[in-house]
Each structure stands twice: as structure tokens, then as C-alpha cells.
């Protein structure tokens, strides 16, 4: 019960009411913004990164390839992919990656 002053004004805020609980056990309160996937499952804002991680982990190689190709069409991810490729080459070793042979001048 909410305590009120002599004029009937609440002295403390009312408790927020939980209306949904998402797949990751986060509570969604009345008036909160939340997201719904294609099957109608609700997700709180705080669950979006976990949802994305789970979604990507569940992709097949073909689905992953298709999504990457769609991203490449926008041109925005080309630089990111090139940076990732460069880092992989450096990690594996330039000589090993390109099968370079030693020569003397």
C-alpha cells in the first residue's frame, strides 16, 4: 500500500509492475520498450547482445556466408573484414600465409 500525505499525494513511488520475462530471465516492466522476434518471443533491451550472440552461434556455414555477403553489398563492412584478414595474416605470419621463399641478393 502506498503512503499518502494529507492531500492524497503519494509519499513514495509505486512499485513497477512486471508484465513479461524474456528468454534470458530479464524482467520487462509496464511501460518499458522491448523487442519481439519473428516467433513472438519478447526481449528486454538488456538482452539484445545475448540474443545476437546466440543467433550467430546457431547459424550454419551457408547462413553465415549469406549474411556476410549481404553485409559486403553495403560496402560498410569491407574495411572491417580487411582489417580482420590483415590481423589474421599477421598472427599466422606473413611468410607462412603467402608461402614466401627466402632469397639472397
Amino acid at each position: 500500500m502506498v503512503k499518502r500525505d494529507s492531500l492524497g499525494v503519494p509519499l513514495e513511488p509505486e512499485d513497477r509492475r512486471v508484465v513479461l520475462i524474456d528468454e534470458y530471465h530479464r524482467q520487462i516492466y509496464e511501460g518499458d520498450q522491448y523487442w519481439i522476434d519473428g516467433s513472438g518471443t519478447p526481449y528486454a533491451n538488456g538482452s539484445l547482445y545475448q540474443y545476437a550472440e546466440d543467433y550467430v552461434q546457431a547459424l550454419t556455414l551457408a547462413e553465415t556466408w549469406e549474411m556476410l555477403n549481404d553485409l559486403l553489398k553495403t560496402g560498410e563492412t569491407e574495411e572491417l573484414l580487411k582489417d580482420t584478414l590483415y590481423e589474421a595474416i599477421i598472427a599466422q605470419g606473413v611468410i607462412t600465409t603467402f608461402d614466401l621463399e627466402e632469397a639472397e641478393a
Side-chain angles (χ1 to χ4, degrees):
M1 179 173 199
V2 177
K3 294 182 183 179
R4 299 181 182 272
D5 66 11
S6 62
L7 299 174
V9 177
L11 295 174
E12 52 190 52
E14 292 183 29
D15 291 337
R16 295 179 66 198
R17 190 174 72 127
V18 175
V19 292
L20 294 168
I21 296 180
D22 74 6
E23 185 174 314
Y24 301 105
H25 308 291
R26 285 198 167 91
Q27 296 176 340
I28 300 171
Y29 295 93
E30 187 174 26
D32 282 356
Q33 179 184 31
Y34 66 96
W35 307 96
I36 301 173
D37 68 5
S39 63
T41 306
Y43 295 94
N45 283 331
S47 296
L48 295 180
Y49 289 115
Q50 184 65 44
Y51 174 80
E53 182 178 338
D54 290 349
Y55 184 88
V56 169
Q57 292 300 320
L59 290 174
T60 65
L61 178 59
E63 291 168 334
T64 304
W65 186 255
E66 184 178 337
M67 286 187 79
L68 284 172
N69 278 330
D70 288 343
L71 286 173
L72 280 174
K73 290 176 186 174
T74 66
E76 296 174 13
T77 57
E78 182 178 359
E79 186 176 331
L80 291 173
L81 289 173
K82 285 184 177 181
D83 288 345
T84 302
L85 178 59
Y86 175 74
E87 289 171 11
I89 289 170
I90 297 304
Q92 293 175 17
V94 175
I95 295 169
T96 307
T97 302
F98 298 110
D99 294 327
L100 298 177
E101 296 179 12
E102 187 176 358
E104 286 186 34

